Every structure is written in C-alpha cells, then in structure tokens.
Amino acid sequence: MSVQTWTYIIVGITFAIYIGIAIWARASSTKDFYVAGGGVSPLVNGMATAADWMSAASFISMAGLISFMGYDGSVYLMGWTGGYVLLALLLAPYLRKFGKFTVPDFIGDRYYSNVARTVAIVCAILISFTYVAGQMRGVGVVFARFLEIPINTGIGLGMAVVFFYAVLGGMKGITYTQVAQYTILIFAYMVPAIFISLSMTGHVFPQIGFLGHEVGTDTFLLDKLDGLHEELGFSAYTNGSKSMIDVFAITMALMVGTAGLPHVIVRFFTVPKVSDARKSAGWALLFIAILYTTAPAIAVFARTNLIHTVSNKEYKSMPEWFSKWEGAGLITFDDKNGDGKIQYVGDQAVNELKIDRDIMVLANPEIAQLPNWVIALVAAGGLAAGLSTAAGLLLVISSAISHDLIKKQLNPNISEKGELIWARIGALMAVLVAGYFGIHPPGFVAATVALAFGLAAASFFPAIVLGIFDKRMNKEGAVAGMVAGIALMFGYMAVFKLGWFVSEKPPASAWWFGISPEGFGTVAMVVNLVISLIVSRLTPPPPEDVQEIVERIRVPKGAGRAIEH
Amino acid sequence: MSEPNLKTYWKKNIRLLLSLLVVWFIVSFGFGILFVEQLNTIHIGGAKLGFWFAQQGAIYVFLVLIVIYIVRMHKLDKEYGVDDD
C-alpha cells in the first residue's frame, strides 16, 4: 500500500478514537470542564501533561533543530525538561493545595485584587494565543505534506476535531484524549528512532546508540560526525557557536517559562491530592524524557545520514524523497559550479544545498528507507502532538473568559449552567481565532514561541513563587513586578526580534549583555523579582486572611476539601 | 498541629528544596554550560562528558531529583502529621 493510503487509514483511526473519547467523557459541570472533576490519577495526568506539553514543534522541529545546531540545541533539551523540576518543587503541590481552577484564580485571590487578576488574564490569553497559532499551522503542514490536501483545508479539519472534544468535554475530554495522543505520538517517534539506531549503531535504544560506534567500524558516531563537519567546514557538532552567556540565558528562560505556562500549570489542578500533584510532575517528566532523550540521538543519526546521502554525490542519483521534498520547497539545490554534484559545505558562497530543519523528523523514515506504515505513523504522531497542545491552550483561553472574567468579575451571580455555556462559547471563539491565525499567520509568528516563554517567565513564575514562599509579598509588589517584567520583555522582543519602533532591526552585537530575545525572559524575570521585592517592602503587608491562605497552602493536609469552595 | 511544629516542617521543606535545586543547577548550568569545556576533556562512550550532560545526563538527573523529592516529602508529611491520605 502507498504511504498516502496508509496515512488515511492511520490518521482516520486516530481521529475516530479522539471523537469516541470526547463522546464518552462529556463534561457535565464547570468542575468537570475546568479540572476534569479533580479526580484524575497522577499517572494519567502525567501522561496527559506530557502530550499537552509536547507540541507540534517538539515532535516535528526539535530533532531537526538540534541536528543543525549541534551542542547549541541543548538549550531546548535542558530548557524544556528542567522546568519540570521547578514545577514539581516550587509550584505544583502548592497550587493544588490552593485548589481553584485557573492561574488567574490564584493570582487574583493571593493578591486580593482584580487588577492583578486582570493582568493575569491578559498574560494567560496572550501566551496561549501566541502558542496556539503555531500548533494549528503545524497540523496544517502535516496534512498538506502527507495527504496532499491544501494547508488551509488541513487546518479546518484540525479545528473541527479539536472543537469537538474541547468544547464537548472540556478538561475531562481533553485529558483522556491526551492520553491516547501521547500513546500515538511516542510510538510514532520511537519506532523510526529504534529502527535507525539499530541499522546505524546496532543498539536498540537510541540513547545508547548515541554513544555508540558506527556499525562495522570502530569510530564513535559522534567523532565521525565531528570529523565530517570539520571536513565540510561546519563548526564542530559537539561544540556549537552561541556565546556561553546566551546559552545560559536561553536555557534559564525556557526552564522558568515552562514552569510558568498556564496550560501546564492547570493540569496539576486535576489530581485529587497534593501528594498526587508531586507524583504527577514526576510521571510527566518521565514521559517527556523518553522523547527528549531520543531527540538528540535522532539528530545525530539524521545529520550523519544526510551528509552521507548528499555530500559530493551526483544530483541525478538522489533518492525519491529528495525530489519529493524539493517539490514541497523544503529542499533547494543550486548547482553553483555546474558540476552536477551537490556541494553541501559550511561556506555559504560555495554551499549549494538548503534544507529546511522541519523535514528531519518527517523525512527521517524515508531517508532510512523504512516501510510505508512507519511514515504514515509519523504523520499521525505529528497531528497528535499539535492537536493535544492546541486543546490544552484552548481550555486556558476559554476558562480565562468564562471563569476569571465573567464569573469572577462581570457577573458573579451567574449560574453553574450559565458559566458552563460561557466556557463552551469561549472554547468555540478560541478555536476560531486559533484557526484564523493558523491560516493567516501573523508576521510575528517567528517570535511567538520565544515570546510565549519569555512572557511566562517574566510574569507568572515570579508572581506565583513569591506568592507561595514570601508571605510578605503584597498586591502592590506583585502587580508592579508583573507589569515591569512584561513591558520589558515585550519591548525587547519588539525592538530586537521584530524591529518595531526603530528604523531597522539592531544587530546581534547590540543585544543587552549579549543576550538574544529568546533568552531575555531570564533578565525580565530577575527584574520582576527585584521590583516585586522592593515595592512590597515599601507598601503595607497583605491582610491577615491572605496570610492565612499562604499558611494553608504550605501544608498538604485537607486538600480534598479545598476544591469544594 | 502546633505552630512551632509547622515552622520546622516548613524549614525542613525549604532545606530539601534548596539542596535539590543546587543539584539541578550544577548538572544543567554547571556541567552542561559553564564548565562544559573542562568536562569535555573526559569521555563517556562516544560522547564528550560536558556535551553528554547538556543533551542527556541533565535530563536523567532531573528525573532522579523529582523522585527524591516525592519520597522525602512523603516521609516529612507523615512525620509531621500533615499528609493528605
């Protein structure tokens, strides 16, 4: 059977599963809709968190990125896993004990202020929208490439499926769908990785193959790759070319940003107990680590394979996948010296081949000549990754509107039923806006992921951590810190990444402290912390009852009752 | 539970947190970034040690840290009678 037939079958089956789960797990109360009734087991929640967390970008782009960045790609590997240590130790158990539905809930109650609540709502919506646009785009790309339908039709299909289970099931539907999606995406990621690891290094586990010899030789794979890079004039794979301070700042910004992302945090509101929130963070990191420790291995395998296949070979002798991806515009070849061979080298004046990083994972099974069903499986995995993350983000937007804005501020007397209707309307609007952004990606799409993490790092993380660990922190301090952090992050991103407000985009040499916009969240977070601490000490302490909330969330006992109010 | 007891519980919690976070910082920012060149003179299998920590090792240690946290906090909760079972 052809790849396309296989893809229709496998994608069709997975979509039927998602819709089946949605019908089975309908939400009947707001508690179901926001936190899946608060009764999800730590293991299930860990798996759902992993699917929620691993986006289309993690699945499709990350290994490719690392493959082209070498050591510098470590920022993603450490940054997107290390944040779970912060989540487990500093946030998850306490927020679970606090026991409400959303992140703005915590900020609004802890800082006894609707101004703080509104700042949090704006951040949550801004972060989630910037992030969700990329997911819908990723879904569209997978559809377009594997089913050969137009990108926009693909986005429409994706929207329809997400709409179905997010609007119907809320968090309850999303949670159980995400478990199915995690299973599909991890299977789709590991099968080709294991195949390739076996054929290139003879090791079943890609994590071990990463350290192994190339099959039939006594050269280590990584040494081999460093050698190839040197020969072709690229910088050595295992050394990288970013400055140390920038690598440090980006890693920190991604870790702290991870811990501050509202769609990740709310997942920990769904488990029954405080101790479950801790366990759940552990499970989540385990499930994530399976993919994240495989990615660098895939990067090395794919990079070596690619160089072997193309470097100094006749253009005419290229395999079928080469011309297919050329047709999709993701590989371009320009025979500068007219010798009919591909010169793929570090020197841009001589280099004849350009390869889009996104194809490394998608084309990997083809490059390694794996069976057609494996290729189809990768397509289904990419869709699962994009849809699961999109659904989690949509829920944050929907609950920010129905719960934090309407129930908590505009119309506190709204009935349970009314709030649930608004939650569904919110989810519907969010799906439509997300789809619109997917079809018409805004100009700032390149900056979006960095912006989402930077904003989460600069706003939520300090406000939540100080809210738990500093009893003296008051609303004046928290609001001043959040506003300063966001303004600084947004301004830096606008000027240095997008070239707004200035005649031309400043060069990298003009970066403050040599830190790129991607890493600037670290600076903005420190500014937030310092301003919060100073302002809070100059203004009156928080009222007694708020100090009692802080005392209460510091002990696990009694978490079951906490959610009832 | 009495006030002073709660205070010691919280102090012990903070001490555990800080020691785990020190390790978190050392394996990622220390081994993987700040001292990567020094560590790269040592090899583990086919990888330079600093590079390995940055791409694999740190992640394994993160997992171990969370497991230690879960186990130790469970004990601490029981000891001070604040567990949620």
Side-chain angles (χ1 to χ4, degrees):
Chain A
M1 274 195 292
S2 73
V3 173
Q4 205 171 341
T5 319
W6 270 115
T7 311
Y8 272 110
I9 295 173
I10 294 183
V11 170
I13 293 173
T14 58
F15 276 28
I17 294 174
Y18 305 155
I19 290 173
I21 292 173
I23 293 169
W24 168 69
R26 277 188 314 276
S28 51
S29 66
T30 49
K31 197 175 162 187
D32 272 354
F33 198 92
Y34 297 139
V35 295
V40 180
S41 87
L43 188 138
V44 166
N45 187 50
M47 208 179 257
T49 309
D52 204 335
W53 172 238
M54 292 190 286
S55 57
S58 287
F59 188 92
I60 299 170
S61 309
M62 193 176 62
L65 263 176
I66 299 167
S67 174
F68 286 97
M69 292 169 75
Y71 165 77
D72 290 342
S74 315
V75 296
Y76 302 112
L77 295 166
M78 289 189 286
W80 285 338
T81 52
Y84 279 84
V85 177
L86 300 176
L87 255 175
L89 273 55
L90 302 177
L91 305 172
Y94 308 105
L95 290 176
R96 173 60 197 84
K97 177 65 197 297
F98 175 71
K100 292 282 184 73
F101 293 146
T102 67
V103 174
D105 251 350
F106 177 77
I107 304 271
D109 288 8
R110 167 64 180 85
Y111 296 118
Y112 47 100
S113 138
N114 273 347
V115 176
R117 193 186 306 271
T118 308
V119 172
I121 294 173
V122 172
C123 290
I125 292 182
L126 206 64
I127 292 168
S128 302
F129 266 130
T130 49
Y131 213 101
V132 84
Q135 305 308 316
M136 295 319 284
R137 192 79 197 156
V139 167
V141 169
V142 173
F143 268 118
R145 168 62 188 82
F146 289 92
L147 298 176
E148 290 169 29
I149 57 177
I151 282 197
N152 292 352
T153 316
I155 293 175
L157 263 171
M159 280 167 64
V161 175
V162 172
F163 168 80
F164 200 77
Y165 67 76
V167 173
L168 208 60
M171 183 59 112
K172 201 172 160 197
I174 289 173
T175 301
Y176 294 104
T177 322
Q178 280 171 339
V179 170
Q181 282 161 334
Y182 177 79
T183 315
I184 291 160
L185 83 87
I186 202 68
F187 190 63
Y189 205 80
M190 296 310 293
V191 167
I194 289 169
F195 265 118
I196 297 169
S197 180
L198 269 174
S199 74
M200 284 184 77
T201 67
H203 292 284
V204 176
F205 295 107
Q207 289 84 345
I208 310 283
F210 183 67
L211 306 175
H213 298 91
E214 198 176 19
V215 140
T217 68
D218 53 8
T219 329
F220 284 117
L221 197 58
L222 280 162
D223 289 342
K224 167 103 188 177
L225 186 54
D226 272 346
L228 285 171
H229 266 224
E230 200 181 336
E231 213 175 281
L232 299 173
F234 296 105
S235 66
Y237 188 83
T238 54
N239 286 345
S241 49
K242 279 189 199 296
S243 71
M244 186 183 280
I245 185 160
D246 202 24
V247 170
F248 189 99
I250 297 176
T251 308
M252 185 63 93
L254 293 178
M255 284 190 187
V256 176
T258 301
L261 282 176
H263 71 288
V264 176
I265 294 176
V266 293
R267 288 239 49 104
F268 294 95
F269 289 82
T270 66
V271 293
K273 292 184 300 183
V274 173
S275 52
D276 291 335
R278 294 181 197 135
K279 285 182 204 154
S280 201
W283 282 118
L285 184 59
L286 174 68
F287 290 127
I288 291 164
I290 296 174
L291 190 144
Y292 274 57
T293 53
T294 305
I298 293 186
V300 170
F301 301 152
R303 183 84 188 152
T304 314
N305 244 337
L306 177 81
I307 294 177
H308 276 316
T309 314
V310 302
S311 182
N312 233 357
K313 296 279 160 50
E314 293 284 340
Y315 174 63
K316 285 201 190 98
S317 68
M318 281 299 112
E320 195 199 337
W321 59 263
F322 191 93
S323 56
K324 226 162 43 180
W325 289 99
E326 230 182 345
L330 294 174
I331 293 181
T332 50
F333 170 63
D334 169 19
D335 196 4
K336 288 178 184 153
N337 61 1
D339 65 352
K341 285 183 182 170
I342 298 171
Q343 267 81 42
Y344 181 51
V345 293
D347 181 355
Q348 283 310 309
V350 187
N351 182 40
E352 300 177 340
L353 188 69
K354 286 208 178 80
I355 302 161
D356 190 287
R357 57 174 203 227
D358 284 356
I359 69 176
M360 294 308 251
V361 165
L362 297 179
N364 214 10
E366 292 171 279
I367 299 177
Q369 300 170 343
L370 299 182
N372 284 348
W373 64 267
V374 177
I375 301 170
L377 192 61
V378 170
L383 290 173
L387 292 176
S388 57
T389 306
L393 293 162
L394 294 173
L395 190 84
V396 168
I397 299 170
S398 129
S399 59
I401 294 171
S402 64
H403 185 73
D404 302 316
L405 197 66
I406 294 178
K407 167 86 181 170
K408 289 285 172 162
Q409 300 194 48
L410 301 178
N411 181 9
N413 298 325
I414 193 170
S415 70
E416 161 95 12
K417 221 171 155 192
E419 193 185 340
L420 192 58
I421 291 172
W422 270 106
R424 291 197 159 116
I425 295 174
L428 171 63
M429 290 194 299
V431 173
L432 293 177
V433 177
Y436 177 82
F437 279 146
I439 292 168
H440 305 281
F444 55 84
V445 114
T448 52
V449 171
L451 185 64
F453 280 92
L455 285 177
S459 58
F460 286 139
F461 184 77
I464 299 175
V465 170
L466 289 172
I468 297 163
F469 290 89
D470 180 16
K471 219 197 296 181
R472 179 68 177 71
M473 183 50 58
N474 57 12
K475 69 173 170 195
E476 290 85 357
V479 172
M482 278 199 285
V483 170
I486 299 162
L488 189 62
M489 182 66 216
F490 206 79
Y492 194 83
M493 181 74 64
V495 172
F496 288 92
K497 183 95 188 180
L498 303 167
W500 293 355
F501 318 126
V502 283
S503 52
E504 64 181 277
K505 195 167 99 175
S509 57
W511 288 346
W512 298 4
F513 322 111
I515 294 176
S516 62
E518 285 74 17
F520 197 74
T522 305
V523 179
M525 173 196 68
V526 172
V527 168
N528 178 335
L529 274 175
V530 171
I531 289 187
S532 296
L533 287 170
I534 293 175
V535 172
S536 69
R537 270 29 180 203
L538 299 174
T539 43
E544 277 297 313
D545 58 324
V546 171
Q547 301 200 27
E548 273 163 30
I549 295 184
V550 180
E551 287 289 342
R552 185 171 61 77
I553 60 179
R554 287 180 176 184
V555 285
K557 207 179 177 101
R561 272 170 293 133
I563 201 155
E564 300 299 335
H565 56 168
Chain B
M1 187 179 46
S2 61
E3 279 295 316
N5 251 342
L6 258 181
K7 278 218 169 85
T8 14
Y9 167 78
W10 187 245
K11 260 198 199 126
K12 285 192 172 175
N13 176 15
I14 299 281
R15 200 173 309 148
L16 174 63
L17 283 183
L18 288 179
S19 42
L20 294 175
L21 286 178
V22 167
V23 180
W24 164 82
F25 187 85
I26 291 176
V27 292
S28 50
F29 294 96
F31 293 170
I33 298 174
L34 299 172
F35 298 105
V36 68
E37 273 164 46
Q38 288 83 337
L39 255 68
N40 273 349
T41 52
I42 307 165
H43 279 72
I44 163 169
K48 297 187 274 192
L49 190 59
F51 174 80
W52 180 79
F53 262 107
Q55 300 220 329
Q56 303 257 294
I59 303 177
Y60 299 134
V61 179
F62 294 156
L63 258 176
V64 173
L65 289 176
I66 297 187
V67 172
I68 294 175
Y69 175 71
I70 295 169
V71 174
R72 294 285 296 273
M73 282 309 282
H74 183 73
K75 259 174 88 180
L76 197 64
D77 288 351
K78 281 243 168 350
E79 200 181 312
Y80 284 81
V82 293
D83 55 305
D84 50 8
D85 290 320

